Amino acid sequence: MISDFKGKTAVLTGAGSGFGLECARIGAARGMNLVLVDVQQDALDAARAEMEKAGAQVLARKVDVSDAVQMEALAAAVKERFGAPHFVFNNAGVGSGGLVWENTVADWNWVLGVDLMGVVHGIRLFVPMMLEAAAKDPSYRGHVTNTASMAGLLTPPNMGIYNAAKAAVVSLTETLYQDLRLVTDQVGASLLCPYFVPTGIAASGRNRPGALADEKPTKSQIIGKAMSEKAVSSGKVTAAEVAQSVFNAMENDQFYVYSHPKALGNVKARMEGIVAGTNPADPFLERPEIGEQLRAALRSA
Ligand SMILES: NC(=O)c1ccc[n+]([C@@H]2O[C@H](COP(=O)([O-])OP(=O)(O)OC[C@H]3O[C@@H](n4cnc5c(N)ncnc54)[C@H](O)[C@@H]3O)[C@@H](O)[C@H]2O)c1
């Protein structure tokens, strides 16, 4: 739980776009020092210029969050420049779709590397620093927010890698919360689970490394990309509103942060099915046409 942000330090991954950029804007407005982390140099440069203009002290680093060594260098640089951070937003993420048996090893390595291992590195490198600061100063307060997705609470078809990565982030973050409660009352945790919000996420292939290139997308991957572009671009909630919820959650010590609470009906149906032992229900119960369209597209020649 953090209530006074002035002069505190935020580490934001994926700060060049979407939720990361919007959180940086709020952080700058509240007088925070900002560590901006992204793999896309032009987006990072633009974010740095904007935040410096807004008066923030900025450390901007081009880092691939999936890379342990780059993340270790980042953590050392943060410690040297600002000391232990107060807010760590493990948020950088990418998406890739398609039928699970069609995904390549490169697809798995890319998405699990960024979406899961990026969060793992953020936790293993920054939480010990935060705990050390908490032990030294009873007034220190810190908070870690990890970005998962509603895809981590549902199992929508044709996007298995993303679902698996985000389900792991849900589990990891709930466990982080429990583990923190064992040792401190000064460091909190939140889990951000957005539904469809217009950002750059549907174009995440723009930052896919050449070594993990997408050789030849299959039909299901092409269909999945088109559907996710449509769903994301037609979302009505803005990234700025989601970022505001992230800050509110930090102030209120609220763990789960949702962009679309209405979509939780699908989560409830899934959980009830698990408890009752019934077979998995349609994850888009309120919009059965989505599943119909997908079935029709995949079964057509
Ligand atoms: N927008 C949505 O509808 C939605 C829904 C659910 C979850 N999410 C999650 O929200 C998070 C933020 O995504 P967004 O929607 O703001 O998308 P976005 O593409 O606008 O922003 C993501 C940022 O992460 C950066 N990034 C990508 N790979 C990286 C890497 N290896 N290292 C460092 N930075 C990297 C990108 O350059 C980009 O600036 C992601 O974890 C995403 O999975 C988004």
Side-chain angles (χ1 to χ4, degrees):
M1 190 196 293
I2 305 181
S3 44
D4 179 14
F5 295 91
K6 200 167 171 45
K8 307 279 166 56
T9 300
V11 176
L12 312 155
T13 73
S17 176
F19 305 136
L21 178 60
E22 294 297 345
C23 279
R25 287 179 172 147
I26 298 175
R30 295 200 173 189
M32 298 186 87
N33 306 320
L34 301 176
V35 180
L36 307 177
V37 178
D38 208 287
V39 80
Q40 190 181 326
Q41 189 71 57
D42 59 343
L44 188 62
D45 291 344
R48 175 218 280 263
E50 180 184 333
M51 302 315 147
E52 283 178 344
K53 202 167 167 217
Q57 295 292 319
V58 178
L59 172 64
R61 294 277 289 215
K62 182 177 182 222
V63 169
D64 176 348
V65 295
S66 70
D67 186 309
V69 174
Q70 290 183 31
M71 285 295 279
E72 282 157 18
L74 167 75
V78 172
K79 193 168 186 181
E80 194 187 317
R81 172 86 187 265
F82 295 119
H86 303 81
F87 171 35
V88 176
F89 190 31
N90 293 309
N91 163 76
V94 292
S96 163
L99 298 165
V100 273
W101 54 88
E102 292 182 359
N103 289 122
T104 61
V105 172
D107 292 336
W108 282 101
N109 284 341
W110 179 47
V111 179
L112 288 183
V114 180
D115 294 13
L116 176 57
M117 291 312 294
V119 177
V120 169
H121 295 313
I123 292 172
R124 76 181 180 82
L125 293 163
F126 290 111
V127 172
M129 250 188 243
M130 297 166 97
L131 291 174
E132 196 186 318
K136 279 195 193 135
D137 175 5
S139 72
Y140 171 92
R141 293 289 178 277
H143 204 90
V144 180
T145 301
N146 296 335
T147 303
S149 169
M150 287 302 280
L153 298 170
L154 294 167
T155 48
N158 208 39
M159 45 190 281
I161 297 189
Y162 190 71
N163 297 344
K166 295 300 188 176
V169 174
V170 170
S171 174
L172 174 63
T173 311
E174 287 182 355
T175 311
L176 170 70
Y177 177 88
Q178 304 288 6
D179 285 358
L180 284 169
R181 292 285 72 79
L182 294 177
V183 301
T184 184
D185 297 324
Q186 292 169 252
V187 183
S190 296
L191 176 72
L192 172 61
C193 292
Y195 206 39
F196 298 115
V197 180
T199 64
I201 192 70
S204 41
R206 70 191 184 282
N207 291 315
R208 186 165 171 152
L212 300 176
D214 191 5
E215 294 303 342
K216 193 172 176 294
T218 65
K219 181 179 168 185
S220 74
Q221 288 165 350
I222 293 165
I223 292 169
K225 187 164 190 312
M227 283 186 75
S228 84
E229 272 164 12
K230 192 171 162 210
V232 166
S233 65
S234 57
K236 300 279 183 289
V237 176
T238 66
E241 288 167 323
V242 174
Q244 192 54 57
S245 315
V246 167
F247 272 78
N248 293 346
M250 221 182 327
E251 287 180 292
N252 299 322
D253 194 21
Q254 173 197 331
F255 182 79
Y256 296 102
V257 187
Y258 301 116
S259 63
H260 294 70
K262 277 192 185 149
L264 292 168
N266 296 329
V267 178
K268 189 161 184 254
R270 174 178 177 231
M271 295 298 171
E272 284 170 356
I274 290 173
V275 175
T278 52
N279 291 353
D282 182 348
F284 298 113
L285 275 180
E286 86 291 8
R287 304 238 348 244
E289 72 279 8
I290 295 180
E292 282 306 327
Q293 281 166 12
L294 200 48
R295 247 187 308 279
L298 286 169
R299 289 181 188 218
S300 71

